[in-house]
Amino acid sequence: MTTPFPFTAVVGQDDLRLALLLNAVSPQVGGVLVRGEKGTAKSTAVRALSALLPAVDVVPGCRFSCAPGSPDPACPDGPHEPGASQARPARMVELPVGASEDRLVGALDIERALAEGVKAFEPGLLADAHRGILYVDEVNLLHDHLVDLLLDAAAMGASYVEREGVSVRHAARFLLVGTMNPEEGELRPQLLDRFGLTVEVAASREPGQRVEVVRRRLAYDDDPAGFAARWAGEESSVRARIVAARELLPSVRLGDAALRQIAATCAAFEVDGMRADIVMARTATALAAWAGRTDVLAEDVRQAALLALPHRRRRNPFDAPGLDEDKLDETLEEFGGPGEGGGEDDPDPGPDGGPGGQPAPDEGPQGDGGTAARPEAGEGGEPQAGPGAGEGGEPQTGPGAGERSAVRAAEPFRTKVLDVPGVGQGAAGRRSRARTEQGRTTGARRPQGALTALHLAATVRAAAPHQRARGRSGPGLVVRRDDLRQATREGRESNLVLFVVDASGSMAARQRMGAVKGAVVSLLLDAYQRRDKVGLVTFRGSAADVALPPTSSVDAAAARLESLPTGGRTPLAAGLLTAHDVLRVERLRDPARRPLVVVVTDGRATGGPEPVAQAGRAARLFAAGGVASVVVDCESGPVRLGLAGRLAGELGGSAVTLDELRADSIAGLVRDVQGTSRRAA
């Protein structure tokens, strides 16, 4: 067995170590989510925690780790005889990102269950993690159907396996610990709320601390056992402190004043639901026990808020995590704190106290304000050009028509659903149709490899004609392996949404860029909710730029878009060719993920030699490759030439205006109804 890196040898990362230790003292805190860049000791610290946990008493021979004093009456290995007990180390079970559903919840032998009536069940990782730690590295990359199973188990403290009338249930109470790199995408809010605490980690910028990290890591790699032996004394001391804090925990007093502070803090930060209040109370109690005190102080409540609220406070998906500590201190001061000497509750606050008296978060000016870019001289009358238009009307741009400062995005809105036609086989998501392991059953086929989802009706139909030949004359059914049918299911997949955004001078004319950025941010929000990967290509001046390679971090795309400057000519062909190259590389990396190209432009092409012809040839590359595309038409003004529509035709896709992009748009609704009527006719 590999010797783990000692927990006490981890350099720095005080918040991370504290959060893990609080969960060791009080598992009811609910686990911890560790967010941070790669190479910050996230996984090292989590794996080292299991060695500090006290041993667990279990019923001998029980595969589900039942406690001898109170065994699970519904345990599949039960009933258990009272009295027998066996101690074993606490387990840390690691859930791989690519694990199957059967590996997580357990596998039921469907063939034996149908043919022999035997309930043969092989426990999964949830059973192994019962009364221990369930660790998920890169938890934000976990498939949605596994997330749903984790949510159910965490909420009910049990795992249920039900297939074709055969049901198995076992206890599954575990400490959920996850690590993630925010650049790879965010977690679903439902799973995020299941983590009791959250910690942001980053590599130290202090040279001395970085030197010590390298020194200890090299020493551990050279001799793991010897390195662990040198830290054995510190490990034993922390282990003893955990045991002492656990024994003290039932004696810790959480007074009414501390509870008022907790409630006021949660209300001030607009936290949804009551789970945050409960987690804060348990965390503050664990902090007092860890400090060897029997009373919860204001400092415990403050530290509990910093650990329990950042991932629960109400915020937009693109807002930075964290709490406003000045606001936190004001709230705690207004509602007073427990006495330093022994827990006498403070008097009730006056009639003006309460969450309603808290200052509202600062709100910046809405819209473009004074930051919107003004059209430059000569641009308002820029000739319109594009596929099919004349090429002689290029705008006169030069040093006098320089780069404009970035324009703020308008308020986002709920967009229409843009999807990829056909049926794919990509990663689970919520955008386009796909053949998946989860979803509605659409048919049956012979199994290819292991049977994972039995189609019972098709199996019965396959077996029924052979009953006389198999000697069956009475009731019942003889089922053989050749009769089994695999259910085919259809669900939803996530896609690669590649935004190709026109940032030329024509887009900044008439202050359109704020509305355009607002539309793209709205589409990014939609991609965030549908679990898509996103990429961003921009074009302006004389070239195109990959502002963001395809990633699961929608936050990064929003940040790049916010700082996007505008100005110059419109190299439409360069933008399309750059997007085509991005898709070619991404297809090699992830061939199952289908792309959706969203071109945001007014359709003009004025950059480079023969801009219109070049743009048409570039667009036809997408059509030839069968790439799904949508053009968001940003053309405005009383006279419109429909250049974006012509570009959409070259791409083999469709065009939608900024107004029609809104889900509640009347124009879009009318167009959808007309399209439905034409198809029906």
Short mmCIF file of all heavy atoms in Angstrom, two decimals, residues 245-253 285 289:
data_model
loop_
_atom_site.label_atom_id
_atom_site.label_comp_id
_atom_site.label_asym_id
_atom_site.label_seq_id
_atom_site.Cartn_x
_atom_site.Cartn_y
_atom_site.Cartn_z
N ALA A 245 -11.66 16.52 20.42
CA ALA A 245 -12.70 17.44 19.96
C ALA A 245 -14.01 16.70 19.74
O ALA A 245 -15.09 17.24 20.02
CB ALA A 245 -12.25 18.13 18.67
N ARG A 246 -13.95 15.47 19.23
CA ARG A 246 -15.17 14.68 19.06
C ARG A 246 -15.84 14.42 20.40
O ARG A 246 -17.08 14.45 20.52
CB ARG A 246 -14.86 13.35 18.37
CG ARG A 246 -14.65 13.46 16.87
CD ARG A 246 -14.57 12.09 16.24
NE ARG A 246 -14.55 12.15 14.78
CZ ARG A 246 -14.66 11.09 13.98
NH1 ARG A 246 -14.77 9.88 14.51
NH2 ARG A 246 -14.64 11.23 12.67
N GLU A 247 -15.04 14.14 21.43
CA GLU A 247 -15.62 13.88 22.75
C GLU A 247 -16.20 15.14 23.36
O GLU A 247 -17.19 15.09 24.10
CB GLU A 247 -14.54 13.29 23.66
CG GLU A 247 -14.06 11.91 23.23
CD GLU A 247 -12.90 11.42 24.07
OE1 GLU A 247 -12.36 12.23 24.87
OE2 GLU A 247 -12.50 10.23 23.92
N LEU A 248 -15.59 16.29 23.06
CA LEU A 248 -16.08 17.55 23.61
C LEU A 248 -17.29 18.08 22.86
O LEU A 248 -18.08 18.85 23.42
CB LEU A 248 -14.94 18.59 23.56
CG LEU A 248 -15.22 19.98 24.13
CD1 LEU A 248 -15.52 19.89 25.63
CD2 LEU A 248 -14.04 20.92 23.87
N LEU A 249 -17.45 17.69 21.61
CA LEU A 249 -18.49 18.27 20.75
C LEU A 249 -19.89 18.26 21.37
O LEU A 249 -20.60 19.27 21.30
CB LEU A 249 -18.49 17.53 19.40
CG LEU A 249 -19.36 18.12 18.30
CD1 LEU A 249 -18.87 19.51 17.89
CD2 LEU A 249 -19.38 17.21 17.08
N PRO A 250 -20.36 17.14 21.99
CA PRO A 250 -21.72 17.18 22.56
C PRO A 250 -21.90 18.19 23.67
O PRO A 250 -23.03 18.58 23.99
CB PRO A 250 -21.91 15.74 23.08
CG PRO A 250 -20.92 14.92 22.33
CD PRO A 250 -19.75 15.82 22.11
N SER A 251 -20.79 18.66 24.27
CA SER A 251 -20.89 19.59 25.39
C SER A 251 -20.85 21.05 24.94
O SER A 251 -21.05 21.95 25.77
CB SER A 251 -19.75 19.34 26.38
OG SER A 251 -19.75 18.00 26.84
N VAL A 252 -20.58 21.29 23.67
CA VAL A 252 -20.47 22.67 23.19
C VAL A 252 -21.86 23.31 23.16
O VAL A 252 -22.82 22.71 22.65
CB VAL A 252 -19.82 22.72 21.80
CG1 VAL A 252 -19.80 24.15 21.27
CG2 VAL A 252 -18.39 22.18 21.87
N ARG A 253 -21.95 24.52 23.67
CA ARG A 253 -23.23 25.23 23.77
C ARG A 253 -23.33 26.28 22.68
O ARG A 253 -22.46 27.15 22.57
CB ARG A 253 -23.36 25.87 25.14
CG ARG A 253 -24.68 26.64 25.35
CD ARG A 253 -24.79 27.10 26.81
NE ARG A 253 -26.01 27.87 27.00
CZ ARG A 253 -26.11 29.17 26.83
NH1 ARG A 253 -25.05 29.87 26.44
NH2 ARG A 253 -27.26 29.80 27.05
N THR A 285 -20.00 25.15 15.91
CA THR A 285 -19.87 24.25 17.05
C THR A 285 -18.59 23.42 16.94
O THR A 285 -17.87 23.23 17.93
CB THR A 285 -21.09 23.32 17.12
OG1 THR A 285 -22.28 24.12 17.20
CG2 THR A 285 -21.03 22.44 18.36
N ALA A 289 -15.27 23.25 19.47
CA ALA A 289 -14.72 22.00 19.99
C ALA A 289 -13.26 21.83 19.59
O ALA A 289 -12.43 21.36 20.39
CB ALA A 289 -15.56 20.82 19.49
#
